[in-house]
Amino acid sequence: MIAIASDHGGFALKQEILSHLSAKGIAFKDFGCYTDESVDYPDYAKSVTSAILSGECTQGILICGTGIGISIAANKVPGIRCALCHDVFSAEATRLHNDANVLALGGRVIGPSHALMVVDTFLATGFSNDERHINRISKIEN
Ligand code: RB5
């Protein structure tokens, strides 16, 4: 189950991603926001990261205008590795190397077609399980 949320700056892109996930039969839980009225992105980072830490969801997608604020907020939470990716190479590399459990996107930065490719790559790529990457991730966590 994918946890997904955005602020108002990411709302339009979130709606595109929801349609895409639905069409592909990928289960998700939408934690808002539900309109384009101004809201605070840290609240949405909290909802998605809590859903991952509780085990309700396995991975998350967070979207704000730039992707920066919401990724900073998510990365304050121990156990969360949130990667801001605006290209397919980074989306693949962060799964292989960092075992990122949240993808952040900037709705005002990336177009929807490219964003959907980034989402697909992030969700389709597994962690490499390489010893050196496991060691490096443990140095982040501890
Ligand atoms: C909201 O205007 C904007 O600041 C927010 O979406 C995000 O870009 C913050 O990093």
Side-chain angles (χ1 to χ4, degrees):
M1 172 92 79
I2 307 299
I4 182 165
S6 74
D7 75 352
H8 54 290
F11 176 71
L13 179 56
K14 175 167 70 68
Q15 300 314 109
E16 297 268 358
I17 295 172
L18 294 184
S19 303
H20 182 70
L21 295 178
S22 294
K24 294 189 82 168
I26 297 172
F28 61 81
K29 182 163 178 187
D30 180 7
F31 288 88
C33 58
Y34 303 113
T35 72
D36 60 6
E37 253 174 64
S38 183
V39 291
D40 299 331
Y41 57 80
D43 298 335
Y44 296 88
K46 263 185 203 139
S47 304
V48 162
T49 56
S50 298
I52 292 169
L53 294 180
S54 73
E56 182 187 9
C57 295
T58 49
Q59 290 180 307
I61 301 173
L62 286 170
I63 313 151
C64 67
T66 58
I68 296 170
I70 210 157
S71 59
I72 291 171
N75 278 317
K76 297 286 283 184
V77 179
I80 296 300
R81 293 176 301 282
C82 178
L84 174 58
C85 300
H86 289 136
D87 65 90
V88 166
F89 175 82
S90 300
E92 182 181 55
T94 197
R95 289 290 306 123
L96 290 170
H97 293 204
N98 316 122
D99 198 16
N101 49 13
V102 180
L103 170 67
L105 292 161
R108 296 172 180 159
V109 178
I110 188 169
S113 304
H114 190 188
L116 297 181
M117 291 172 70
V118 171
V119 167
D120 284 346
T121 302
F122 185 86
L123 297 182
T125 308
F127 178 48
S128 65
N129 268 307
D130 283 350
E131 189 76 31
R132 68 187 192 284
H133 293 311
I134 293 170
N135 186 41
R136 289 165 189 164
I137 291 166
S138 81
K139 287 187 177 187
I140 297 172
E141 302 291 344
N142 306 302

